[in-house]
Amino acid sequence: MKSLSDKQKAVLIFGGGTALLLFLIAFHLMQSSRDIPFHIVWEAIWNKGDSLQHNIVQSIYLPRIVIGIIAGSALAAAGVIFQTLTKNPLASPSTLGVHSGAYFFVVAGTIFGPSWLGGSGFLLAFLGGTFAAVLVFLLAGGHTATPVRMALAGMVLTLMFTSFTSTLQIFFEYETAGLFLWGNGTLVQQDWNGVTFSLPWVAFISLVVLWIGKKMDLLLLGEDQAKTLGERVRLVQVLMFFSAVGLTALVVSVVGPIAFIGLIAPHLMKLAGYQLHGMLIPASMLWGANILIGADVLGRYLDPSLTELPVGSITALIGAPWLIWLILKNRNRFLGTGRKDSLSPSSLLFNLPYSSVVIGALLLLIISFFSGLAGGGDGFEFISTWNALFSDESSGQKFIVFDLRLGRVLAAMLAGMLLALSGLLFQGILRNPLADPSIIGVTSGAGVGALAVMFLLSGFSAAWIPIGAIAGAFVTVGIVLFFSWKTQFQPAVLALMGIGVSAAGGAITQILITRSNMNAASALTWLSGSTYASGFSELQQFLLWPVIILLPLSAIFMNKLNILSLGDQTAIGLGVRTITVRWFAALLATFSASMAVAAVGTIGFIGLVAPHLARLLTGHDHRKILPVSLLLGAVLLVIADTAGRMVLAPKEIPSGLVAAVIGAPFFLWLMSKTPKKS
């Protein structure tokens, strides 16, 4: 009976999967060639006929389907390998940052690389993917890395690479023309070159992976057991790593980064009962092809005009709920890991008096604020700015300072405070200093809300855009809190939920940008966060009153966050209502970040870096961290605003991207200094 059951399962998985793939291929062709007679399509498939319609089917429609099958299969195989290699059920090319690293290297190579490198997309993607995967693995703790730690490291590194890529696309719009759609994943092909390039490589690597399948099975028993059985574990792991990165790089170089195929397909097959790699890998490859072709069909169904929706956005929209389900399914694995996975910051080798730290941060804010008023396209004009501030004489500089710069710098200062406050509260809730408004989904939700207003309410006043951002942020966090309620707001699960919801928000954002035909550079500028054109109106509407109200309310929670850091059981024993505290702190943090987004756009890293710097300088007492964190958040965003105005004047770099450039090196240093063992 067992043998019969295995045969039935094989028939269902392989026979049913093949039948579904053939159906999806036929449906895809019907969508593409709805204005072409069926007999023309049939003749083109069998290479009969030489009319224009035959050529369109043969050179555009068929290559698109074939590359989808190849890409889906490759990503699914890469997902299986990464999950076995890292012993992490959440591992995939997208969650480990491999996609974003590969994409960044391709864009950077296209702009700055020598001419001969322009056609070497695979080499660039392979180098970028390898760099990102190694970085995530090392920073997450190497062989001691836990699934939560690795997922968080992959998330923040993805934010970093995405920020760098967006910066290049904004300032090299001509050189990167056409990369926006490709950068979100698209199966569009103009000929068979992508297929002929990728097919032999994918076939070769797949054979290598199948060849080492039994060796991978031994790794499921544990490294020590595999070594006892005579297996060369390190050699197998190296082969697995480069095979997975190679498969991912091949896909990225031809069709761009397509997320979540490597997460969904392997888990579907594991649910079907396949655990050993001899059957798991080919089954995952077949269903990975089904998922990707199905996503392409769905994308065209959602947009009957056949305006190209990036298929990577569709797979992310499908994959984000799947990720959330996986987190809930594996939550017992993550329960109790809040302190274990908490990436506690290092301490400085010297101690500074707290009063000196506060005074120093305040002086730094005064200097950066004055520099922001004095800085312009011609450099810093300190003397004329001083005279404009403290002299009654009217001058051109007085107009520039008071009418053009003062409101903008004040807006940057208060927005930086709100972002720092949000980050500090989220870090206290999650007991993880890597938490950030971007991690919990605030940034992604706010972006969706604002773009939804632009797209759906195009005839309405621009004043509705910030309202959309605020609503989007609260909806996103509400979803995260709803799902996290099932795990009693366990910190690690809450952070992972935020990652899943953020992925869905990012997918919706990409779809809205594509559907609205928004200029890629302008869309990226807004999404990257910009203090450009912000001033006294934003200050009054979205920043001043939240600072006045939220800061005292948040100060009340600082001592409770100190108690929460001791662990939930200890906090409950001391009379703290942990769930209630997390609810209110999360609402305060969400409102803080959403008001900042409403005023200056989606800016990341401030909420990550400012509280961390404050913690390094003052210790772990949240009551001391709060004022220093607020001052440093203001300093960072004022500096980002000033640098964005001056570096490439008269062009402006979005403040969010400057903040990312500042925050990314700090993050890398921080990760290298955190403990590698629990």
Side-chain angles (χ1 to χ4, degrees):
M1 289 297 292
K2 184 176 184 301
S3 176
L4 181 61
S5 177
D6 288 342
K7 289 181 180 179
Q8 289 176 337
K9 182 167 61 177
V11 169
L12 177 63
I13 296 299
F14 289 96
T18 302
L20 177 60
L21 183 59
L22 292 174
F23 170 77
L24 290 172
I25 291 171
F27 197 90
H28 197 291
L29 278 173
M30 289 173 59
Q31 280 184 314
S32 302
S33 56
R34 57 187 180 184
D35 296 327
I36 299 177
F38 176 76
H39 72 275
I40 298 290
V41 177
W42 185 256
E43 291 171 355
I45 292 174
W46 297 104
N47 201 25
K48 297 178 180 178
D50 196 29
S51 67
L52 177 61
Q53 290 179 323
H54 287 102
N55 290 330
I56 290 174
V57 174
Q58 291 172 342
S59 61
I60 297 178
Y61 299 159
L62 291 179
R64 177 172 183 156
I65 293 171
V66 175
I67 201 65
I69 295 171
I70 295 171
S73 300
L75 291 173
V80 173
I81 298 168
F82 277 130
Q83 288 167 23
T84 301
L85 182 64
T86 62
K87 303 180 181 66
N88 182 356
L90 304 180
S92 73
S94 50
T95 57
L96 294 181
V98 179
H99 276 151
S100 57
Y103 180 40
F104 170 69
F105 269 57
V106 170
V107 173
T110 301
I111 297 170
F112 302 113
S115 56
W116 61 267
L117 200 58
S120 304
F122 168 65
L123 176 61
L124 291 167
F126 183 80
L127 292 174
T130 301
F131 177 71
V134 170
L135 200 57
V136 168
F137 182 70
L138 293 177
L139 295 179
H143 289 287
T144 64
T146 60
V148 175
R149 186 175 177 124
M150 194 170 289
L152 290 174
M155 173 66 173
V156 181
L157 277 175
T158 296
L159 289 174
M160 182 188 76
F161 282 124
T162 301
S163 297
F164 291 165
T165 304
S166 297
T167 303
L168 295 179
Q169 287 181 292
I170 289 171
F171 287 98
F172 297 93
E173 188 176 3
Y174 176 77
E175 291 84 350
T176 59
L179 287 183
F180 183 76
L181 180 63
W182 173 81
N184 292 309
T186 177
L187 300 183
V188 174
Q189 301 290 297
Q190 301 301 324
D191 50 41
W192 286 90
N193 288 340
V195 173
T196 55
F197 166 72
S198 59
L199 181 58
W201 282 105
V202 170
F204 172 73
I205 297 175
S206 299
L207 289 174
V208 171
V209 171
L210 290 172
W211 175 64
I212 63 173
K214 291 186 177 180
K215 302 177 186 296
M216 293 165 64
D217 291 340
L218 293 178
L219 291 182
L220 297 176
L221 303 175
E223 291 186 18
D224 293 338
Q225 185 67 25
K227 289 177 182 177
T228 302
L229 295 173
E231 195 56 67
R232 300 173 65 182
V233 171
R234 287 290 175 263
L235 177 61
V236 174
Q237 289 175 330
V238 168
L239 284 174
M240 291 170 64
F241 176 80
F242 284 111
S243 295
V245 173
L247 289 170
T248 305
L250 283 165
V251 173
V252 172
S253 64
V254 177
V255 300
I258 297 177
F260 289 108
I261 300 293
L263 190 69
I264 302 173
H267 279 288
L268 274 177
M269 296 304 98
K270 289 176 182 177
L271 287 173
Y274 287 129
Q275 300 296 328
L276 300 181
H277 294 82
M279 297 295 285
L280 177 61
I281 292 174
S284 298
M285 293 177 73
L286 173 60
W287 282 87
N290 270 313
I291 294 168
L292 188 50
I293 297 297
D296 204 30
V297 168
L298 178 61
R300 299 176 124 200
Y301 177 77
L302 293 175
D303 187 4
S305 67
L306 293 186
T307 300
E308 288 300 336
L309 291 179
V311 70
S313 301
I314 304 298
T315 60
L317 206 56
I318 299 170
W322 188 267
L323 176 60
I324 292 172
W325 178 81
L326 279 177
I327 294 167
L328 291 174
K329 180 176 180 290
N330 292 276
R331 63 183 179 272
N332 290 333
R333 228 177 130 171
F334 306 138
L335 288 173
T337 63
R339 294 190 61 80
K340 180 180 179 181
D341 291 321
S342 179
L343 301 181
S344 303
S346 305
S347 300
L348 295 178
L349 296 177
F350 53 90
N351 292 321
L352 295 172
Y354 181 68
S355 58
S356 299
V357 173
V358 174
I359 293 171
L362 185 59
L363 288 175
L364 192 58
L365 177 58
I366 293 171
I367 293 170
S368 61
F369 188 88
F370 184 68
S371 299
L373 295 178
D378 297 325
F380 291 104
E381 299 176 344
F382 292 112
I383 296 177
S384 59
T385 300
W386 181 270
N387 293 332
L389 288 173
F390 300 103
S391 170
D392 294 332
E393 297 181 9
S394 61
S395 64
Q397 186 68 12
K398 199 176 190 71
F399 171 79
I400 292 173
V401 169
F402 283 96
D403 289 50
L404 300 181
R405 292 180 186 164
L406 181 59
R408 174 173 177 168
V409 176
L410 283 171
M413 182 182 75
L414 295 188
M417 287 183 176
L418 289 175
L419 290 171
L421 175 63
S422 180
L424 177 60
L425 288 170
F426 278 131
Q427 288 169 18
I429 295 168
L430 299 175
R431 296 201 304 269
N432 194 318
L434 283 189
D436 175 83
S438 301
I439 296 290
I440 206 65
V442 174
T443 300
S444 176
V448 170
L451 284 175
V453 169
M454 294 180 194
F455 180 66
L456 301 175
L457 305 176
S458 56
F460 284 70
S461 168
W464 286 87
I465 294 174
I467 296 174
I470 295 169
F474 272 97
V475 168
T476 305
V477 173
I479 293 172
V480 173
L481 293 179
F482 171 76
F483 283 111
S484 300
W485 173 68
K486 294 180 178 294
T487 60
Q488 298 180 333
F489 298 94
Q490 204 282 331
V493 179
L494 182 59
L496 294 173
M497 286 292 173
I499 293 175
V501 174
S502 293
I508 296 172
T509 296
Q510 293 164 1
I511 292 172
L512 288 174
I513 290 175
T514 305
R515 285 293 308 273
S516 61
N517 295 319
M518 188 181 296
N519 177 268
S522 61
L524 287 170
T525 299
W526 189 90
L527 290 172
S528 300
S530 177
T531 47
Y532 177 75
S534 60
F536 289 109
S537 61
E538 287 76 16
L539 196 69
Q540 294 171 359
Q541 293 179 47
F542 306 112
L543 297 172
L544 191 57
W545 63 268
V547 167
I548 294 172
I549 295 174
L550 295 177
L551 293 191
L553 289 176
S554 300
I556 297 172
F557 281 90
M558 291 301 109
N559 190 50
K560 290 182 171 60
L561 293 183
N562 285 340
I563 299 174
L564 274 182
S565 66
L566 302 175
D568 282 6
Q569 295 301 321
T570 303
I572 292 171
L574 293 173
V576 174
R577 296 182 176 181
T578 56
I579 295 179
T580 303
V581 169
R582 285 199 172 98
W583 264 105
F584 279 105
L587 290 174
L588 289 174
T590 302
F591 194 71
S592 299
S594 61
M595 296 308 289
V597 169
V600 298
T602 55
I603 295 178
F605 281 102
I606 299 292
L608 177 71
V609 174
H612 242 307
L613 280 175
R615 194 175 285 108
L616 287 171
L617 291 168
T618 65
H620 297 278
D621 188 343
H622 286 82
R623 294 169 297 183
K624 292 183 177 181
I625 295 171
L626 177 61
V628 178
S629 178
L630 295 174
L631 292 172
L632 292 178
V635 168
L636 287 170
L637 194 49
V638 169
I639 290 175
D641 173 67
T642 305
R645 281 189 280 121
M646 297 182 65
V647 171
L648 293 177
K651 289 185 176 181
E652 288 208 18
I653 305 174
S655 303
L657 297 183
V658 178
V661 171
I662 296 172
F666 176 82
F667 167 73
L668 295 177
W669 172 82
L670 171 70
M671 288 288 287
S672 69
K673 295 296 182 181
T674 54
K676 299 298 187 294
K677 294 182 180 180
S678 56

